[in-house]
Structure formats: C-alpha cells, structure tokens
Amino acid sequence: MPDEQMANSGGQPATAAGPPPTASAPPAARPLDTIDRSILRMLQTDGRASIRSVADRVHVSRANAYARINRLIEDGVIRGFSALIDQERAGQGASAYITLKIVQNSWRTVRKQLTALPGATHIALVSGDFDVLLLVHTKDNRELRELVLTRIQSIPEVLSTRTLLVFEETDLGPEEE
C-alpha cells in the first residue's frame, strides 16, 4: 500500500481464551462487520489502495483502517495481495480445467506435485464424478497436451484425467451491496 506500509509481525495472534492455536487448528475467525466487508471488497477491487483511500471510502480514521487491515491479515482473512493477469496478453493463450480421478487418500501427495506444474493457477479437492479440479494456463495447445499427457498422467496416483478447454473467461469482481 503506497501511503503507509502495513506491519506484519508473522507471529500468532493472541487469543483471549484458551491456549495458543496449534498448527493443525487455526484460531477461530472473528466475525466481520460491515466496515470489514467494505474494506475487503475495496481491496479485492484494488489491492494497491492506500490506507488513506480505504479510510476515506469506509468513513473511518486512517489508524482504524490500518488496524482493521492488519487484523484481517493476522486472522488469515486476507491471505495476500496479487495482480490480476490477462493470461492471453501474458503469452498464455491456452487455458483449461483438468479434472482428475486420484487414488483414495493421495490428495496431499498429488496436490504437492500439481502445485509444482508450470501454469497451474488453481487446484481444488472436490466431490462428484472426479476428485481434483485443476486450472492451467499454457502458451498453446501443444504445451497443454505435453503438460497433460507427460506431466500429469505420469503422476502414479492419478488414475484418469479429462481436459476442458476454456474458450473465454471473465474474472468476477467483489459483490456490490
């Protein structure tokens, strides 16, 4: 954020009741009020918004906006800030959703291998006719074919794949109230 940098101590947030959270059990999320939700919508639209502009837009002081954003970061509500990429303009002209059926109880192993794939941008464990949904962006269909046939299908825990080509996509912004 250009005006003022947000502090992130990297430590665990203090909890009022009970022992500190463990690595396997994150702290319970605090409820979000309308100001928190407005801040989240604004940052989803413009992750580079300054503290001053956030404060002005939601009608709170800069100190209050700063504290709220830091709390949202510390609570894990905000996981990071990133740029929205036009994949085609970035030279990634082929996009596809790939569905995978995997060996039962192999999700963590498969996820680790899929995360390392070039062009993988979203991975989800899902229910239904397949187990994993993977979104990839590649330079062209030849590169996509190589990724699916050589890299993904060579993972021992992957039983089968199905590739769904994306012809057009639209990023949805935050909901307006």
Side-chain angles (χ1 to χ4, degrees):
M1 302 205 161
D3 283 7
E4 302 141 33
Q5 184 122 13
M6 287 181 286
N8 188 352
S9 63
Q12 292 282 354
T15 56
T22 63
S24 61
R30 291 180 257 195
L32 303 179
D33 63 17
T34 55
I35 294 172
D36 291 332
R37 292 188 189 289
S38 294
I39 290 171
L40 291 174
R41 275 192 306 280
M42 186 175 180
L43 291 176
Q44 282 180 297
T45 303
D46 181 7
R48 295 175 44 158
S50 68
I51 297 289
R52 178 178 300 157
S53 65
V54 170
D56 289 348
R57 178 97 183 260
V58 299
H59 309 292
V60 297
S61 69
R62 285 188 302 188
N64 188 323
Y66 179 85
R68 284 174 177 268
I69 292 170
N70 275 333
R71 178 179 48 80
L72 291 166
I73 292 169
E74 289 168 5
D75 286 355
V77 175
I78 296 176
R79 297 181 312 187
F81 298 88
S82 62
L84 296 175
I85 308 297
D86 181 320
Q87 296 294 337
E88 201 166 342
R89 291 183 68 114
Q92 303 292 81
S95 297
Y97 284 96
I98 303 168
T99 66
L100 296 86
K101 287 186 182 179
I102 60 174
V103 172
Q104 190 172 1
N105 297 322
S106 65
W107 164 240
R108 286 177 182 80
T109 304
V110 172
R111 179 181 55 194
K112 185 176 181 181
Q113 293 176 70
L114 295 176
T115 302
L117 292 175
T121 59
H122 184 85
I123 303 167
L125 179 65
V126 297
S127 65
D129 293 336
F130 49 88
D131 304 306
V132 178
L133 183 63
L134 170 68
L135 174 60
V136 297
H137 302 284
T138 60
K139 183 177 81 174
D140 54 29
N141 283 342
R142 180 177 303 228
E143 194 174 287
L144 175 61
R145 179 181 180 277
E146 183 71 19
L147 181 71
V148 173
L149 297 180
T150 305
R151 301 285 300 271
I152 296 172
Q153 290 185 356
S154 69
I155 298 171
E157 296 84 2
V158 172
L159 302 173
S160 66
T161 63
R162 179 170 286 161
T163 303
L164 308 164
L165 294 177
V166 174
F167 296 124
E168 184 176 317
E169 58 187 320
T170 302
D171 290 322
L172 302 177
E175 292 180 19
E176 293 293 326
E177 285 187 1

